[in-house]
Amino acid sequence: MKGVSRLREEGLADWGIVPEAIEGESRASGVLIHKGRGGSPEAGVWVCTPGFWRLCVERDEFCHFLEGRCTYTHESGEVIEIEPDTSAFFPAGWTGTCRVRETVRKAYMIR
């Protein structure tokens, strides 16, 4: 597959510190595999180190976690436990927190 071979060739780019930190200083990195006209859809691989932060999902996102452990908690109190081989969908407007306990790696698609 073209995207997979490109991922291997390019490696991961530093995407910086995750904003909205509550605790710790998570650092994200990744590789963009595809970005459509106007920025949508977007697909790639995202890696993030441990920490705890607030987030608001701006666009629908489907992701499949390959490594690590984290917990997403919606502002309503709903908890999503993530471990390797977990898939999740976050609709646009989803608001809550993310606590990464072990560095996570996920494949994602945003529309």
Side-chain angles (χ1 to χ4, degrees):
M1 290 176 35
K2 181 179 176 184
V4 173
S5 63
R6 192 166 79 197
L7 173 62
R8 288 186 189 128
E9 291 170 11
E10 293 179 4
L12 299 174
D14 181 5
W15 290 354
I17 302 297
V18 176
E20 306 278 341
I22 297 170
E23 180 182 296
E25 187 175 89
S26 294
R27 180 168 288 280
S29 59
V31 63
L32 185 62
I33 295 171
H34 172 77
K35 193 162 201 161
R37 290 187 183 144
S40 184
E42 176 183 319
V45 174
W46 180 80
V47 177
C48 189
T49 62
F52 181 48
W53 66 90
R54 290 201 48 72
L55 74 149
C56 180
V57 176
E58 295 179 9
R59 300 182 308 183
D60 291 342
E61 179 178 355
F62 171 80
C63 40
H64 182 77
F65 290 82
L66 306 166
E67 299 174 1
R69 298 188 187 291
C70 66
T71 303
Y72 286 89
T73 305
H74 188 268
E75 64 186 0
S76 70
E78 175 191 11
V79 174
I80 303 167
E81 292 292 343
I82 302 294
E83 59 184 30
D85 208 26
T86 300
S87 294
F89 175 74
F90 298 94
W94 190 99
T95 303
T97 60
C98 178
R99 180 180 298 275
V100 175
R101 295 182 307 284
E102 296 174 12
T103 297
V104 293
R105 176 184 299 261
K106 71 179 181 181
Y108 70 89
M109 177 164 246
I110 299 171
R111 65 176 179 159

